Amino acid sequence: GGRPPPPMVIVPPTVAFMTCILAVLVVALLGRDEHGMLLAQIALNAPYAVTTWWLGETGHFVCFGILAMRTFFGAHLSGRFDALLNCFATLGLLIITAPNQAWVWRDTVYAAWLNVAICVYRLATHASSGDGGETGSRSSKAFIFFTAFVAKIGLLVLALPGIGLFNGFF
């Protein structure tokens, strides 16, 4: 494995963890992330503990295991479970293969603005993308739609301290 990235300065650890949890929740709710934008948010905000875990032997083993499972059983996987597996495998590969320049750039105000832009885009396209999940009754889709929308608002609120807004709240 590579050298662990330095802890982030712009994004506080609490915000980083909450961002990752909310983004994974949205992927789990919707069963897909067609644009990979939630994955980008996780990669931009992954806290030090998460990145160092992926760079360790256990992280490599888990990433390999997920990729092997998707390779051999991919035809039998679908929906939310497959979306989560894809999310974790891709995140693992992004972290494991990232050059040092990526780790340095990630802790800049440009990365923080990119994170805010992703949040705004995801919110603006929420209704048009039909983000109510892939399966379930009309009422469960409405619940998923609303919950995912609230989670995306949460992601935007969590992104704001990175650009200097609401710094004292998190």
Side-chain angles (χ1 to χ4, degrees), residues 106-118:
R106 186 177 87 122
D107 201 22
T108 65
V109 72
Y110 302 112
W113 275 103
L114 175 61
N115 191 27
V116 169
I118 290 170

Side-chain angles (χ1 to χ4, degrees), residues 80-170:
R80 292 175 175 87
F81 181 65
D82 187 48
L84 284 172
L85 286 179
N86 182 47
C87 176
F88 287 121
T90 307
L91 178 65
L93 286 174
L94 275 171
I95 290 174
I96 291 167
T97 61
N100 285 335
Q101 294 88 345
W103 296 117
V104 171
W105 184 83
R106 186 177 87 122
D107 201 22
T108 65
V109 72
Y110 302 112
W113 275 103
L114 175 61
N115 191 27
V116 169
I118 290 170
C119 292
V120 170
Y121 174 80
R122 295 284 301 178
L123 278 170
T125 61
H126 183 77
S128 64
S129 64
D131 273 350
E134 296 176 338
T135 58
S137 66
R138 175 177 269 179
S139 62
S140 69
K141 283 186 178 191
F143 174 76
I144 290 169
F145 180 86
F146 177 75
T147 306
F149 187 71
V150 170
K152 289 176 182 181
I153 291 171
L155 287 169
L156 177 60
V157 170
L158 289 170
L160 294 176
I163 61 169
L165 297 174
F166 306 117
N167 276 338
F169 288 96
F170 299 105

